[in-house]
């Protein structure tokens, strides 16, 4: 349980679901962990769930000045950053005709623009070697109805794994995508659906998965440990799909 011993790791959106479980696994593997969240209440609850073992940083992933402030806060506290996991995401799904410019912009700010400028702001702190993990989605590879804006944002993020690896590998920074398929997390509950509609959506989603079940946050967290650890040092500019076969079968 020391695959991340001595590493400093930042996880965005660490108050819930995959991010919170990843924080738990990173800490168990010996990392010093910071998580971000957009509400102090959620951050405090996550801090308790992690038994006080994580640095809690309030930061809205879609706000660019806040990304720069986040990098500054870390620079003041930590000597370097070995792992960045860009996990926070806006998972809004809706039919094309229901999107307006404001909600489209907000989703893109959180899922793509914010991460771009966070990585830029963290460049001076990123160690040699270091691992940047970008949370994609299998949705970037399939044509799931209502996923248009979301899937486009994730496709953009996965593209960054390649281009930024090309640009940064000489500095020892490798960037990879980690793409979940349907995974049991509180995310579905945040879509504002009635209970019966949420249950029906969950059934529809499960039916998409060739192996007949959703993934768990723990399965995704274990994959993130692999990408964060030196054991994946030869994986650069790539994507790890943890999706029960949705993208390939
Ligand atoms: N679950 C799936 O089936 C699935 C599939 C493919 C990809 N993914 C991706 O996996 C990642 C994690 O999702 P999840 O399923 O674990 O969802 P989740 O349980 O809702 O967790 C998302 C986390 O991101 C945070 N977050 C959202 N917007 C934020 C913002 N503007 N600033 C800061 N933090 C923000 C959330 O905070 P709050 O608690 O305040 O909401 C929460 O901590 C996302 O990028 C998602 O797109 C999930």
């Amino acid at each position: 349980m020391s695959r991340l011993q001595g590493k400093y790791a930042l996880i965005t959106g660490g108050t819930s679901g995959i991010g919170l479980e990843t924080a738990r696994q990173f800490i168990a593997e010996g990392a010093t962990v910071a998580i971000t969240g957009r509400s102090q209440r959620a951050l405090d609850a996550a801090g308790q769930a992690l038994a006080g073992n994580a640095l809690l940083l309030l930061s809205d992933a879609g706000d660019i000045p806040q990304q720069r402030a986040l990098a500054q806060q870390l620079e003041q506290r930590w000597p370097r950053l070995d792992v960045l996991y860009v996990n926070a995401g806006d998972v809004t799904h809706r039919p094309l005709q229901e999107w307006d410019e404001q909600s489209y912009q907000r989703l893109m700010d959180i899922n793509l623009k914010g991460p771009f400028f966070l990585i830029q702001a963290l460049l001076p702190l990123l160690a040699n070697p270091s691992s940047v993990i970008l949370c994609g989605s299998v949705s970037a590879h399939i044509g799931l109805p209502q996923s248009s804006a979301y899937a486009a944002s994730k496709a953009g993020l996965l593209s960054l794994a390649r281009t930024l690896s090309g640009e940064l590998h000489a500095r020892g920074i490798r960037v990879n995508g980690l793409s979940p398929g349907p995974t049991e997390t509180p995310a579905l509950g945040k879509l504002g659906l009635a209970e019966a509609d949420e249950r029906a959506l969950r059934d529809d989603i499960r039916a998409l998965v060739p192996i007949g079940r959703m993934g768990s946050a723990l399965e995704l967290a274990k994959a993130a440990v692999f990408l964060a650890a030196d054991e994946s040092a030869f994986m650069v500019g790539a994507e790890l799909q943890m999706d029960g076969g949705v993208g390939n079968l």
Side-chain angles (χ1 to χ4, degrees):
M1 296 292 269
S2 57
R3 292 155 76 197
L4 302 178
Q5 199 64 47
K7 290 193 187 293
Y8 291 87
L10 170 65
I11 302 169
T12 68
T15 60
S16 167
I18 294 168
L20 178 58
E21 186 56 39
T22 300
R24 200 175 277 121
Q25 296 305 315
F26 277 15
I27 291 164
E29 293 289 353
T32 301
V33 170
I35 60 169
T36 70
R38 57 184 158 176
S39 95
Q40 192 60 51
R41 196 182 47 77
L43 269 176
D44 290 343
Q48 277 195 348
L50 298 170
N53 287 316
L55 177 61
L56 311 175
L57 299 168
L58 194 60
S59 173
D60 183 330
D63 182 302
I64 308 306
Q66 287 189 35
Q67 302 316 291
R68 298 189 175 121
L70 173 60
Q72 276 175 358
Q73 280 178 292
L74 277 184
E75 271 172 35
Q76 284 160 10
R77 288 179 161 92
W78 286 357
R80 61 179 188 280
L81 185 64
D82 303 291
V83 179
L84 166 64
Y85 184 16
V86 173
N87 164 77
D90 181 331
V91 299
T92 305
H93 283 58
R94 60 175 70 138
L96 176 59
Q97 58 274 21
E98 288 180 20
W99 281 94
D100 56 36
E101 199 175 338
Q102 197 182 10
S103 47
Y104 177 92
Q105 192 59 55
R106 176 82 183 130
L107 181 142
M108 288 295 172
D109 284 353
I110 294 169
N111 291 3
L112 189 55
K113 187 174 172 186
F116 182 88
F117 285 103
L118 176 62
I119 298 168
Q120 183 192 62
L122 286 170
L123 267 182
L125 196 60
L126 278 166
N128 182 356
S130 56
S131 170
V132 176
I133 305 164
L134 304 178
C135 181
S137 170
V138 71
S139 296
H141 303 292
I142 60 176
L144 189 68
Q146 305 199 18
S147 74
S148 55
Y150 173 75
S153 73
K154 293 297 190 178
L157 203 54
L158 290 167
S159 170
L160 282 186
R162 291 189 290 273
T163 51
L164 294 184
S165 282
E167 201 167 319
L168 302 175
H169 72 82
R171 298 174 54 165
I173 302 168
R174 59 195 178 90
V175 188
N176 290 292
L178 171 53
S179 288
T183 306
E184 284 286 1
T185 72
L188 274 188
K190 297 175 187 173
L191 294 177
L193 301 174
E195 207 180 312
D197 291 343
E198 189 184 318
R199 227 183 356 260
L201 178 62
R202 202 174 286 272
D203 288 344
D204 287 351
I205 291 174
R206 199 174 293 119
L208 278 178
V209 187
I211 67 167
R213 68 168 177 86
M214 292 173 78
S216 70
L218 181 61
E219 288 172 309
L220 269 299
K222 295 282 188 190
V225 168
F226 168 70
L227 288 175
D230 295 337
E231 65 209 57
S232 62
F234 205 49
M235 191 164 170
V236 182
E239 179 188 6
L240 182 54
Q241 291 184 21
M242 291 286 290
D243 65 357
V246 176
N248 289 303
L249 305 189

